Amino acid sequence: MTVLDRQAPPLSPPPPPSPATAAAPTGLRAWARDLALGARFAVSGGREGWTRTALTALGVGLGVALLLAATAVPRILDARDARSLALGIPSASSQSAADGGADTFIWADAATEFRGDPVSGRLLRPEGADAPPPPGVTKIPGPGEMVVSPALRDLLASSEGELLAQRLDDRIVGTIGDPGLVDPGDLRYYAGSSTLNAETGGIRSSGYGREASGTPFNPLLVVLVILMCVVLLVPVGIFIATAVRFGGERRDRRLAALRLVGADARTVRRIAAGEALFGTVAGLAVGAALFLMARQLVGHIRLWGFSAFPSDVVPEPGPALLIVLAVPLAAVLVTQTALSSVAIEPLGVVRDTRPRRRRLWWRLLLPLIGIGILATTARVDEATRYVGQFPIAAGAACVLIGLAGLLPWLVEAVVSRLRGGPVPWQLATRRLQLSSGTAARAVSGITVAVAGAIALQMMFGVMQKDFLQLTGQDTDRADFYVSAEYGDSALAERMIQDFRDTKGVSKVIGTVETYVVATGAPTEQGWQPTTSLTVGTCATLRDIAELPSCRDGDTFVAHLDSRAAKQVGAAGVKAQNSRTDEAAVPGRKIDLTGSYGEGNGEPVLWTLPGSARTVTAFPDPMGDVHDGILVTPGALGSAGLPGATAMVSIKVDQRVPDAAEYVRGTAADIDPTLRVRALKNLERDKQYASVQSGLQVGGTLTMMLIAASMLVSQIEQLRERRRLLSILVAFGTRRATLAWSVLWQTALPVVLGTALAIAGGLVLGTFMLGIIGKSAGDWWVFAPYAAVGASVILLVTLASLPPLWRMMRPEGLRTE
């Protein structure tokens, strides 16, 4: 028998498979098991585990709260518009309002301003028992009474509102309810009157509320709003992704222990995803709680003149649901992506050895894709009917997110070449050389925010020329312009005298102006010749026309010259001079009521003296040109001017504090319906101003989030190094040395991130300007934003010093 023929002894049967091996789940069941195990790790592990989870939840919660606030913006704006329209009063809301009746009232605008804040006000006089009160008011206040908004009531009761209280001296008998306010900070009042009528500027109406104007939004501003939304929201997403990776080094060591007991690489990645998922879900709860808390406080906070009622701060259901689903999914994806380049083995983490250098080529793809999208986007101008929102948003987002991806490579490439220096510098650079990714992620949000702010400012700087127009007002000659819808020489004289006696006023120019009709033969078109008639003292008339000489009783006929062409055009100058020649004929009778031949009562006739001299008119401080007939008070005698308008230009001494408030106070004493306007050289478009205000509010909230999130991230980094810091202190390292090392460790990525933000912001701004057909006007717009970014980092570093001192105590040597 050969060996081959020998029968082999029977083999012992294999051991039966263990129940765990036989029932090992796969597919979705494996994911569910490992995610649940990761969630258990997130809540276990003692104080370390809870601290890590709490920091993750706080970081994610801050971002989620701001995202929920962003989804509530459309409803806030709609509610504000609806409230504003409900408070408007049409001039004639019904047929009965035209004739007066039991349900009508007379009203007049009595708005004012106090230290830059607008104060809305109306005078009301009911004409019948059924006259409706304004929204939020139970009844129309009587003469000498007024109802005020809560914000105005508090301001009048404070020491800061003393001057305004003197101006609004009626007795407060009630408070306006929420339905009658635009927002909680609305400064508004309604005052009763017993003398208000149509002859003194009053308007008859029978109800409240007006329809929306429906003015289309400027296409150029649509592009700006799209970029603004991307710039404000992308840093939020980056911070959420950064918060998900808190505690990454300790997590990797724990996952290595799991590999040692038999878990494979896929399992530990799913467990890590479960741990991140739990922290993110907790972050959703924290974010919702922070949002609800902020929602209750929003009515007590006024940011850049903006506030809102808590009932209006309601997230849109669709975007809110997207946040709830997308944030946890993003946490899982971020964790899986972060671990794809890390080899977690049973005996440790490969990342603890010399790391592999980051590659540049794939990090350039995303910003290049974004630039390509923006470069091929259709051009937008004011005649564009449809603006492609998705290409603009996608292109800008790709560029900004690409900058966040480039920053870790840039930091690693620079710090790897640093050698020598003081001890704090060496500690900082060595730490960055070993693990620069965490530090780069911590400042990636501020990098993206600064880059976006630079691009936005480039667009604002170029576009403001299209939304700012010259008013023609001369602020060197006057600071304020006061007018009444009615007036005569007596009112003008009172205005001139009262304003001259006002504290801080240095010069007053007052006139009375009306349109008059010349009697006699009509024009070729069948109309009676008309012109304007302006009454003023010789000093006043010299300020609006070139007079050879003047004394009380003189009369002049004023023509426009070439300087008036800016206001009315060359053709307008010729037409107005021709109209003046037809009406202002010396010796001709003039109807001062302006209604000759129209059957509106007996005319008030006055003869234009034959001694009237022809002079040249030039613009007044408001930019208006007073052509036609110019007369001094003595020339009219006792003749009245029905339907005239009294106007006063005022120059104040800017060195006198609250000079503007004294002027408005005097105007209110004369008549609350007087319009007081501050003269300015430039006037800003309302749509442009609203976008700019929205950017200020959103930018402030985003920068607050950036500062808070960076502080949380900085504390997390210090917590990861607590044991190392305690060991260095135990071996005699000075605490100041470690503090400086932390500062340098933060400053290096900030400097590099700021440089990257400047380059990326200028590139993004250039391509965004190309979409609207503009070119960059100022290449140094980045300077203030770079300074703001550096200031935020400095403040965060200073705020992290107290936790740093605590972490350097000997207790940090303890371990669990």
Side-chain angles (χ1 to χ4, degrees), residues 495-516:
M495 293 170 65
I496 293 173
Q497 187 60 44
D498 287 359
F499 282 118
R500 280 177 178 169
D501 296 338
T502 300
K503 182 179 179 180
V505 173
S506 58
K507 182 180 180 182
V508 179
I509 303 171
T511 62
V512 176
E513 186 171 3
T514 187
Y515 278 93
V516 296

Side-chain angles (χ1 to χ4, degrees), residues 115 235 239 285 340 397 576 770:
R115 292 175 179 169
F239 275 121
S340 62
Q576 286 188 233

Side-chain angles (χ1 to χ4, degrees), residues 509-723:
I509 303 171
T511 62
V512 176
E513 186 171 3
T514 187
Y515 278 93
V516 296
V517 177
T519 63
T523 63
E524 296 180 357
Q525 292 77 21
W527 298 93
Q528 293 297 131
T530 62
T531 190
S532 64
L533 184 144
T534 304
V535 183
T537 63
C538 287
T540 297
L541 297 183
R542 285 194 180 96
D543 207 67
I544 60 176
E546 297 177 358
L547 306 182
S549 63
C550 178
R551 64 181 180 179
D552 191 26
D554 286 351
T555 305
F556 307 92
V557 177
H559 287 79
L560 304 182
D561 64 358
S562 58
R563 287 179 291 180
K566 295 181 179 179
Q567 279 72 26
V568 298
V573 169
K574 184 177 180 180
Q576 286 188 233
N577 287 340
S578 176
R579 186 186 68 179
T580 299
D581 290 337
E582 292 177 353
V585 178
R588 195 169 188 175
K589 290 189 177 296
I590 304 294
D591 179 13
L592 301 181
T593 65
S595 59
Y596 179 77
E598 297 181 5
N600 294 331
E602 292 294 327
V604 178
L605 299 180
W606 171 77
T607 303
L608 179 63
S611 59
R613 289 170 288 177
T614 301
V615 296
T616 300
F618 51 81
D620 66 4
M622 277 292 293
D624 299 326
V625 184
H626 302 264
D627 61 325
I629 303 173
L630 309 180
V631 300
T632 54
L636 284 179
S638 60
L641 293 176
T645 300
M647 297 166 288
V648 172
S649 298
I650 303 170
K651 185 69 177 177
V652 300
D653 186 353
Q654 301 294 342
R655 296 171 296 180
V656 177
D658 287 326
E661 306 311 321
Y662 293 126
V663 169
R664 293 189 175 94
T666 300
D669 291 338
I670 299 173
D671 192 332
T673 63
L674 293 181
R675 292 188 60 193
V676 182
R677 296 175 58 186
L679 273 63
K680 48 190 176 183
N681 296 323
L682 296 173
E683 189 170 17
R684 182 173 296 164
D685 180 81
K686 291 183 178 180
Q687 291 183 349
Y688 178 86
S690 65
V691 172
Q692 192 173 40
S693 299
L695 176 61
Q696 291 171 338
V697 174
T700 301
L701 294 176
T702 302
M703 291 304 294
M704 292 172 61
L705 169 70
I706 287 174
S709 299
M710 289 191 62
L711 181 59
V712 174
S713 178
Q714 184 79 348
I715 294 175
E716 165 61 17
Q717 292 183 55
L718 294 177
R719 194 183 65 86
E720 290 280 344
R721 300 171 55 199
R722 181 177 59 183
R723 184 175 177 82

Side-chain angles (χ1 to χ4, degrees), residues 433-453:
Q433 289 169 354
L434 291 175
S435 179
S436 62
T438 303
R441 287 194 301 270
V443 300
S444 59
I446 192 70
T447 299
V448 171
V450 171

Side-chain angles (χ1 to χ4, degrees), residues 414-482:
V414 173
V415 299
S416 63
R417 294 171 171 81
L418 298 178
R419 298 289 185 273
V423 174
W425 175 265
Q426 292 188 46
L427 289 174
T429 56
R430 184 55 181 163
R431 177 65 185 177
L432 291 174
Q433 289 169 354
L434 291 175
S435 179
S436 62
T438 303
R441 287 194 301 270
V443 300
S444 59
I446 192 70
T447 299
V448 171
V450 171
I454 292 172
L456 278 174
Q457 187 56 38
M458 289 179 66
M459 295 193 68
F460 266 109
V462 173
M463 292 174 60
Q464 68 178 354
K465 299 176 182 178
D466 299 329
F467 295 94
L468 291 176
Q469 62 179 15
L470 292 173
T471 62
Q473 300 169 3
D474 190 350
T475 56
D476 293 331
R477 297 165 60 192
D479 296 307
F480 294 93
Y481 176 78
V482 184

